[in-house]
Amino acid sequence: MSAWQLIVFVMMPVPLSLCILVSAPLPRRASEKCCELVDSIVGFHLYGTPVVKVFIGFAFILFAIMSGEMYKPKHTISDPRDANQELNMRAKRWRNERNFWISTLVLALWMMLFVTYKLRKQVIALEKKTDIEVEKKSK
């Protein structure tokens, strides 16, 4: 498995599916269970750092590298009559652009997961607090 296959098949679907789980309009109990599932994945620590921050950092480094690749000056063609050189140059540029957009999407997905997850945890905590206050007032 190449590095870009790992990025496309692991680093994109994981935050996308977890973000869908967290943000889905589910009943409260199901929403709490989904948050617990996401918490077990996102809350995992690698050497004291949450795994989601490690992936955000990795995605940011990947984004920075691909941004640099995108804006490198074009190489000159040694023989302008050779169509293969021009096609190879265009293919490399297209591949760099594709990888840039993939890295941008991966970074956006991980950041969106992190923010959505934190907000959802706050909403669940506030709902529990509100229910406790309502129960106290009803007694």
Side-chain angles (χ1 to χ4, degrees), residues 22-64:
V22 168
S23 62
L26 300 171
R28 185 207 249 167
R29 299 285 181 228
S31 179
E32 288 175 0
K33 294 296 180 189
C34 286
C35 257
E36 287 174 11
L37 173 68
V38 173
D39 191 32
S40 67
I41 297 168
V42 172
F44 183 73
H45 290 284
L46 291 173
Y47 302 108
T49 306
V51 73
V52 69
K53 290 184 179 180
V54 171
F55 279 118
I56 288 173
F58 179 71
F60 182 76
I61 290 169
L62 185 67
F63 172 75

Side-chain angles (χ1 to χ4, degrees), residues 59-72:
F60 182 76
I61 290 169
L62 185 67
F63 172 75
I65 290 170
M66 291 318 304
S67 295
E69 287 289 321
M70 276 284 296
Y71 293 107
K72 277 186 179 176

Side-chain angles (χ1 to χ4, degrees), residues 68-100:
E69 287 289 321
M70 276 284 296
Y71 293 107
K72 277 186 179 176
K74 289 183 180 179
H75 298 288
T76 58
I77 300 172
S78 60
D79 185 11
R81 294 173 291 172
D82 189 9
N84 287 333
Q85 286 183 358
E86 184 178 349
L87 286 176
N88 287 337
M89 189 179 69
R90 286 184 182 180
K92 186 173 182 176
R93 178 136 176 98
W94 181 84
R95 190 171 38 251
N96 285 339
E97 287 177 11
R98 179 203 62 192
N99 292 346
F100 169 78

Side-chain angles (χ1 to χ4, degrees), residues 10-24 26 31 33-44 51-52 55 109-110 112-114 116-118 120:
V10 175
M11 285 194 63
M12 276 178 43
V14 169
L16 182 62
S17 58
L18 293 177
C19 200
I20 289 171
L21 270 178
V22 168
S23 62
L26 300 171
S31 179
K33 294 296 180 189
C34 286
C35 257
E36 287 174 11
L37 173 68
V38 173
D39 191 32
S40 67
I41 297 168
V42 172
F44 183 73
V51 73
V52 69
F55 279 118
L109 284 172
W110 280 104
M112 189 168 57
L113 171 65
F114 184 63
T116 306
Y117 167 70
K118 285 178 70 174
R120 190 58 161 176

